[in-house]
Amino acid sequence: MSKVVTFGEIMLRLAPEGYYRFFQNDRMQATFGGAEANVSVSLANYGVDSVFVTKVPSQAIGQAAVDSLRSFGVDTSKIVRGGDRLGIYYMEKGAGPRGSLCIYDRAYSAVSMAKPSEYDWDAIFEGADWFHFTGITPALSSDCAQAVKDACEAAKARGIKISCDLNYRSKLWSRERAGEVMSDLSKYIDVCIANEEDAKDVFGIEADNSDINSGILDKEGYKSVAKKMAEKFGFEKVAITLRKSISASENDWSAMLLSDGEYYFSKEYHLNIVDRVGGGDSFGGGLIYALLNGMSSQETIEFAVAASALKQSIEGDFNRVSVQEVMKLAGGNSSGRVQR
C-alpha cells in the first residue's frame, strides 16, 4: 500500500445551514476542514495509507479535529499537540449571482505558532512514497514556511515524490511574498497543481485570451502557462484546473495535465454546486492516487476531475467518495440515477 504524508492546518468550519446568510438564524453547522487535511481524507477513502501532519491544541476542540480525521482512517499519530487555539473559518455558501463568503479567524493558531524543530521528518517520512503540501501552509508564518522547506529537503533526500497545490490566498500573504517563498520551494516539487488564477498571482504567469470572470478559457493559453511553469521550475508534471463560473450555483469544470511534454484535457462536467470548498483538494487527492497507481496520463486527469466533480455535490470540506464511484463517473456514467 502506498503511503502519502500531507502537512498543513486543519480548522473548525462554522457554516449557516443550507444557503442561509450569516446569522439569518441562530444555528451553524460545525465541521472540520483544511486543504491538506482534505487531501488526506480523500486518499484514506481510496485505501491509501494517509498521514496528516499538523499541530493542534491539547484541548477538546483540537481532539475533535483529530477524531474527525481518524473517523476516515487518516493516520494522526504524527500530529504535534500544544498551542492555544485551533483556527476557525466561517463559510457562507453562495447561490446564483451571490458568491460564497469565507471569513478566517486563524491568527495565532497552534500550527501557525509551531517551531520547525517540533516536526521529526525522519520519523514522519518512514516508509513514505509521497509528500503533499499547498501554498497555504508556508503562508501561515515564516516558521511554517521553514517547516515546509525542511520537509521538502527531507523528502527529496529520501527520493519521495513531492506535490504542491499553489492555492494562493490573498488574505494570508502578498503576491510578492508568495512568489518569493513558492519560487524557492518549487525547486523541490515534482507535481505542481494550480488553477486559472494561481499561476498569475504567484508567478506572474497567465494565460492569453482568457477571462475567468466572463467564463472564457482558452486551452492554448493554458498549455503555454503549464509549459512556462515546467520550464522555469523543472516540474515533472503540471496540472491546471479549469473552472468556468456561470454563477455560484453552476460551473463547468475540467482540467489539463502536462506530462512528458504532452497535454491531456479531461472531459468537462456541468456542475450544479452543492459545496465547492474542497473541490481543488479533492482534485489533488485524485491526481495523487491515480499517479501512485500507474494510470495513464489521460486516465489520471479524468480520475482527478471526476473525483472533484463528485466532491462539489457533497456538503463540507471532505470528499466522501470511493474509488469505484470516481471510476464510474470518469467512465461516463453521470446520470445520477438512484443506485438500487
Side-chain angles (χ1 to χ4, degrees):
M1 180 187 295
S2 299
K3 181 177 180 178
V4 178
V5 175
T6 72
F7 173 46
E9 181 171 30
I10 186 168
M11 293 181 290
L12 173 65
R13 165 177 160 155
L14 297 176
E17 295 178 325
Y19 295 91
Y20 283 175
R21 305 219 67 183
F22 289 132
F23 301 106
Q24 188 174 343
N25 67 10
D26 59 359
R27 292 184 294 277
M28 281 197 179
Q29 297 172 319
T31 55
F32 295 94
E36 295 87 354
N38 298 341
V39 172
S40 278
V41 168
S42 281
L43 291 168
N45 284 336
Y46 300 152
V48 174
D49 185 359
S50 181
V51 182
F52 179 62
V53 181
T54 191
K55 183 176 182 178
V56 299
S58 299
Q59 33 96 313
I61 305 302
Q63 186 59 47
V66 173
D67 291 344
S68 72
L69 294 168
R70 286 178 176 169
S71 71
F72 291 95
V74 173
D75 182 345
T76 61
S77 63
K78 300 301 187 290
I79 290 178
V80 177
R81 305 300 181 106
D84 295 325
R85 70 186 302 256
L86 192 77
I88 302 170
Y89 84 96
Y90 300 85
M91 182 66 204
E92 178 186 284
K93 291 193 302 179
R98 176 174 59 86
S100 296
L101 177 60
C102 184
I103 298 174
Y104 293 106
D105 178 16
R106 68 199 307 176
Y108 307 108
S109 65
V111 69
S112 70
M113 302 296 288
K115 299 299 180 184
S117 59
E118 295 184 69
Y119 303 103
D120 183 352
W121 296 111
D122 283 331
I124 290 167
F125 285 134
E126 182 68 32
D129 303 288
W130 198 286
F131 173 56
H132 178 78
F133 70 98
T134 77
I136 294 173
T137 304
L140 296 175
S141 68
S142 58
D143 279 334
C144 280
Q146 184 60 52
V148 171
K149 186 171 183 176
D150 291 348
C152 287
E153 289 178 344
K156 190 61 70 174
R158 289 161 176 76
I160 295 169
K161 290 292 186 183
I162 300 174
S163 59
C164 174
D165 188 333
L166 293 182
N167 261 356
Y168 175 70
R169 296 291 185 268
S170 62
K171 294 180 180 180
L172 291 177
W173 58 358
S174 67
R175 289 180 175 85
E176 292 73 24
R177 177 62 177 162
E180 175 188 345
V181 173
M182 295 308 297
S183 292
D184 182 46
L185 292 174
S186 288
K187 63 191 176 193
Y188 303 101
I189 296 168
D190 299 297
V191 179
C192 185
I193 303 168
N195 65 22
E196 62 269 21
E197 299 172 88
D198 290 334
K200 177 182 177 182
D201 288 333
V202 178
F203 299 132
I205 298 172
E206 59 184 307
D208 297 327
N209 304 318
S210 292
D211 180 351
I212 60 171
N213 294 312
S214 68
I216 300 170
L217 300 175
D218 180 72
K219 288 185 176 181
E220 292 302 317
Y222 286 104
K223 286 182 180 180
S224 70
V225 167
K227 183 179 180 181
K228 289 175 185 176
M229 290 173 65
E231 289 177 344
K232 183 173 183 178
F233 299 108
F235 301 138
E236 291 179 8
K237 301 179 191 296
V238 178
I240 298 180
T241 56
L242 307 173
R243 185 187 296 273
K244 297 179 184 176
S245 293
I246 300 165
S247 71
S249 305
E250 288 187 79
N251 289 181
D252 290 330
W253 181 248
S254 62
M256 183 203 75
L257 177 66
L258 169 60
S259 179
D260 298 322
E262 298 293 330
Y263 301 92
Y264 302 87
F265 285 86
S266 75
K267 65 172 67 71
E268 185 176 79
Y269 295 91
H270 182 75
L271 305 180
N272 294 299
I273 305 291
V274 171
D275 191 339
R276 64 169 283 180
V277 175
D281 306 323
S282 58
F283 174 86
L287 191 79
I288 293 167
Y289 175 83
L291 291 172
L292 281 171
N293 283 273
M295 294 187 190
S296 70
S297 294
Q298 190 64 48
E299 290 170 337
T300 293
I301 197 64
E302 296 292 359
F303 186 92
V305 171
S308 186
L310 287 170
K311 159 62 200 79
Q312 293 172 80
S313 72
I314 298 169
E315 292 271 9
D317 274 53
F318 298 151
N319 197 14
R320 302 164 182 262
V321 298
S322 66
V323 170
Q324 291 74 23
E325 289 174 305
V326 178
M327 293 294 286
K328 184 176 180 180
L329 179 58
N333 189 337
S334 58
S335 66
R337 293 177 64 86
V338 176
Q339 308 291 310
R340 290 193 173 103

